[in-house]
Amino acid sequence: MTQQGAPRDAPVPLDRGARDAARGPMSGDPADQDADAAEDVAPRARTRRVGAYTVVELHGEIDIAGVGSVGPALDAATAGDGPAVIVDLRPTAFFDCSGLGLLCRAHRRVLERGGRMRLVCDDALILRTLRAGRMLEVLRPNATLEEALREEEREEED
């Protein structure tokens, strides 16, 4: 069934009840759910130390609107001589070419300063973006933080 006057192949607009049902089951206060959803996609960076590394976790949507929120944390982590940085993309909800540019910049800064950078990512869509940008082989992501740390230890032994 189509709307009157709409082309035969036009999608049928959902009424409000159908839209809400399509989003999934409701539980609890709707205002809380909206706040939780916004927090899940709000771009932010969480920085911490793990051994000799500065780990920068990127949360939320890392797109053209979000890089300004997380870029300063990556700039700080890649500053100085010989920075050792792990960028963890596992908490990332969305990642596009703007995020790819951010990673390229961080990687370049680390190399210019004689440091090292690791990437942690297990999301198929983000890995596809890295592959499309020809950065998959350059950044060689690990699926977990532990794998990234073990790989670094192996390279230091060689």
Side-chain angles (χ1 to χ4, degrees):
M1 175 180 186
T2 60
Q3 273 187 315
Q4 189 173 12
R8 186 170 283 296
D9 59 345
V12 177
L14 297 174
D15 65 20
R16 182 182 166 111
R19 281 194 310 265
D20 290 343
R23 285 190 202 130
M26 297 289 283
S27 62
D29 185 9
D32 289 342
Q33 289 178 350
D34 289 344
D36 289 344
E39 188 174 305
D40 289 344
V41 297
R44 66 187 189 284
R46 178 178 172 245
T47 304
R48 60 191 169 106
R49 294 290 294 181
V50 176
Y53 277 89
T54 300
V55 177
V56 182
E57 292 178 357
L58 301 184
H59 295 256
E61 294 183 353
I62 310 304
D63 56 10
I64 195 164
V67 294
S69 299
V70 299
L74 274 176
D75 286 348
T78 59
D81 292 331
V85 180
I86 295 176
V87 179
D88 190 346
L89 296 179
R90 290 175 299 171
T92 303
F94 177 80
F95 186 89
D96 69 3
C97 60
S98 299
L100 186 61
L102 190 68
L103 288 182
C104 290
R105 173 180 157 78
H107 185 255
R108 180 180 42 83
R109 286 171 53 95
V110 165
L111 292 179
E112 288 172 351
R113 291 165 171 79
R116 56 198 188 275
M117 181 173 138
R118 297 277 179 230
L119 183 66
V120 178
C121 178
D122 60 358
D123 183 275
L125 291 176
I126 295 174
L127 293 171
R128 191 166 92 182
T129 302
L130 292 170
R131 186 177 301 111
R134 302 194 187 276
M135 290 302 292
L136 193 62
E137 291 300 317
V138 173
L139 297 174
R140 298 178 317 188
N142 297 100
T144 67
L145 180 60
E146 293 74 24
E147 285 179 21
L149 292 168
R150 276 195 307 268
E151 185 175 312
E152 180 61 28
E153 288 173 4
R154 277 180 273 178
E155 287 185 11
E156 285 178 358
E157 290 172 0
D158 292 340

